[in-house]
Amino acid sequence: MRNFLLTALLCFAASTAHAKPNILTILVDDLGYGDLSSYGAPDLKSPAIDSLMSSGMRFDSFYANCPVCSPTRAALLAGTYPDLVGVPGVIRTYPQNNWGWLSPQAVLLPRPLKAAGYDTAIVGKWHLGLESPNRPNERGFDHFKGFLCDMIDDYYKHRRHGINYFRENEKEIDPPGHATDLFTQWAIDYLNDRKGMQKPFFLYLAYNAPHTPIQPPKEWFEKVKARENGITDRRAKLVALIEHMDHGIGQVIAALKNNGQDKNTLIMFSSDNGGQLSVGARCGNHRGGKQDMYEGGLKVPTCAVWPAHIRPGTRSDIQGISMDFYPTLCEVAGAKVPSYVKGISLLSTFLGKPQKLE
């Protein structure tokens, strides 16, 4: 009897020790509030993201911290207003046009998650610093595969101002292929590497799409043109770029399922700001778009999926903001939140409980 009880206690201890969920945060770039079929786009098909929206909780009033890239990324990863961590504007490659430098005092999200027992990885766009000490591996990520700079001038050539900023950790790499396909495959590679591991993971998957240049693979553009009567080339290119990205996200989710990781993974999806109107983006019925402080520049499609915890098909009109990701994910992971963090954990809302707003 004593041996039975000891075995039971050991099994219970093992199960609770490994009960922390994996975390997959997907941040896309310049996706307008009206540029998903689930958000009313009449000429666009986004089945993978739409499936995420219906598999968990969709947020109808979620906002980016800023209508441009770097500040929102700083807010999401630092948990506070971007100005307070040195990123009031876009971090760029040339000093005369640079609007931020990430504060060394900012404790980025992977650090408390690492302290809570997580393996941490970023795939895709970093955009928070080009040089030491502001590279991903120096700010808490165990693994980095993507690019450092603000954007790429060509989805296939992967250069910015003629410079290659693609890295695998600290090593410069120059892989062939469309950037969206590369990020999708690298995310899948990471998930496959973590298959069967007891240590939970935090994967921050930051797609560059649908940021300019609007450069979808030719076959995706042709498919949209053949399907949508009367669509302009400008709009068709953007739709194709989004649909191509959506397909990639579907492949990542499929890998989670194939690896048996999906049942214990919290997935959060959002965009860094609203859509760019000059390239044909739709921002719902809101005024403005990217770079505007109107709702079109700040209101972003967002959802959270967590099987057995978040009820599928639920919606919330709570006004969340990018910096809320940080305390939310820390609470989920049992990680300590630094005292400077201004975001609010939305875990209570996820679980259908009353939300504390301070």
Side-chain angles (χ1 to χ4, degrees), residues 316-337:
S316 174
D317 61 0
I318 192 168
Q319 292 182 340
I321 193 168
S322 307
M323 65 185 182
D324 293 338
F325 274 52
Y326 191 117
T328 302
L329 298 180
C330 282
E331 185 174 3
V332 166
K336 184 178 180 181
V337 179

Side-chain angles (χ1 to χ4, degrees), residues 74-154:
L76 189 154
L77 288 176
T80 191
Y81 300 102
D83 308 60
L84 300 182
V85 290
V87 191
V90 177
I91 295 174
R92 291 198 174 98
T93 49
Y94 292 144
Q96 65 270 26
N97 197 29
N98 176 58
W99 295 91
W101 194 79
L102 184 63
S103 168
Q105 279 71 51
V107 181
L108 299 198
L109 181 57
R111 292 208 181 277
L113 293 183
K114 277 170 64 72
Y118 279 72
D119 188 82
T120 59
I122 170 176
V123 169
K125 180 175 177 174
W126 170 238
H127 200 183
L128 288 175
L130 300 174
E131 43 193 36
S132 183
N134 282 339
R135 292 174 179 159
N137 298 109
E138 297 170 304
R139 302 308 295 256
F141 284 102
D142 296 311
H143 176 73
F144 167 51
K145 200 167 185 180
F147 68 97
L148 296 167
C149 57
D150 54 339
M151 61 177 284
I152 47 177
D153 297 325
D154 187 290

Side-chain angles (χ1 to χ4, degrees), residues 178-192:
H178 193 282
T180 299
D181 291 329
L182 293 175
F183 300 154
T184 293
Q185 188 56 55
W186 295 344
I188 292 171
D189 291 343
Y190 177 78
L191 295 176
N192 290 343

Side-chain angles (χ1 to χ4, degrees), residues 55-345:
S55 296
M57 178 172 286
R58 165 178 160 168
F59 288 83
D60 293 328
S61 297
F62 203 93
Y63 292 83
N65 264 83
C66 191
V68 290
C69 299
S70 295
T72 293
R73 293 163 198 276
L76 189 154
L77 288 176
T80 191
Y81 300 102
D83 308 60
L84 300 182
V85 290
V87 191
V90 177
I91 295 174
R92 291 198 174 98
T93 49
Y94 292 144
Q96 65 270 26
N97 197 29
N98 176 58
W99 295 91
W101 194 79
L102 184 63
S103 168
Q105 279 71 51
V107 181
L108 299 198
L109 181 57
R111 292 208 181 277
L113 293 183
K114 277 170 64 72
Y118 279 72
D119 188 82
T120 59
I122 170 176
V123 169
K125 180 175 177 174
W126 170 238
H127 200 183
L128 288 175
L130 300 174
E131 43 193 36
S132 183
N134 282 339
R135 292 174 179 159
N137 298 109
E138 297 170 304
R139 302 308 295 256
F141 284 102
D142 296 311
H143 176 73
F144 167 51
K145 200 167 185 180
F147 68 97
L148 296 167
C149 57
D150 54 339
M151 61 177 284
I152 47 177
D153 297 325
D154 187 290
Y155 271 78
Y156 291 96
K157 296 179 182 178
H158 316 145
R159 299 295 191 269
R160 178 61 166 155
H161 304 310
I163 301 170
N164 180 15
Y165 290 102
F166 267 62
R167 300 289 188 272
E168 182 171 5
N169 297 318
E170 295 293 334
K171 178 184 176 182
E172 182 177 331
I173 57 175
D174 193 11
H178 193 282
T180 299
D181 291 329
L182 293 175
F183 300 154
T184 293
Q185 188 56 55
W186 295 344
I188 292 171
D189 291 343
Y190 177 78
L191 295 176
N192 290 343
D193 287 344
R194 302 306 303 171
K195 181 179 180 180
M197 298 286 187
Q198 293 182 338
K199 188 177 186 180
F201 64 77
F202 166 55
L203 172 58
Y204 172 44
L205 173 55
Y207 279 101
N208 189 55
H211 194 288
T212 55
I214 309 303
Q215 192 180 11
K218 181 180 178 182
E219 63 271 21
W220 286 82
F221 170 72
E222 291 174 346
K223 180 172 66 173
V224 172
K225 285 291 289 184
R227 187 188 71 215
E228 302 295 333
N229 292 329
I231 193 170
T232 64
D233 283 357
R234 185 184 74 162
R235 175 64 182 168
K237 287 179 181 179
L238 181 63
V239 167
L241 191 62
I242 294 171
E243 291 188 353
H244 178 231
M245 177 186 70
D246 179 82
H247 177 70
I249 291 172
Q251 291 178 298
V252 173
I253 302 306
L256 270 177
K257 294 178 179 178
N258 291 338
N259 291 339
Q261 297 161 323
D262 59 311
K263 297 294 190 295
N264 193 35
T265 297
L266 167 62
I267 303 171
M268 293 192 69
F269 171 91
S270 194
S271 177
D272 64 347
N273 48 251
Q276 185 171 330
L277 300 180
S278 63
V279 296
R282 298 176 184 270
C283 296
N285 60 352
H286 303 300
R287 182 182 181 183
K290 178 182 180 177
Q291 298 182 329
D292 293 322
M293 290 299 290
Y294 302 117
E295 280 198 286
L298 294 165
K299 199 170 184 180
V300 288
T302 302
C303 71
V305 179
W306 191 10
H309 295 274
I310 299 175
R311 189 160 56 90
T314 52
R315 293 173 73 157
S316 174
D317 61 0
I318 192 168
Q319 292 182 340
I321 193 168
S322 307
M323 65 185 182
D324 293 338
F325 274 52
Y326 191 117
T328 302
L329 298 180
C330 282
E331 185 174 3
V332 166
K336 184 178 180 181
V337 179
S339 59
Y340 75 79
V341 166
K342 301 295 184 184
I344 295 171
S345 173

Side-chain angles (χ1 to χ4, degrees), residues 19-61:
K20 291 184 178 183
N22 303 310
I23 298 169
L24 169 59
T25 295
I26 303 173
L27 186 71
V28 300
D29 202 335
D30 296 359
L31 181 67
Y33 193 79
D35 267 338
L36 295 172
S37 47
S38 53
Y39 278 72
D43 54 358
L44 189 154
K45 299 184 184 300
S46 49
I49 301 173
D50 295 343
S51 178
L52 287 178
M53 293 289 171
S54 62
S55 296
M57 178 172 286
R58 165 178 160 168
F59 288 83
D60 293 328
S61 297

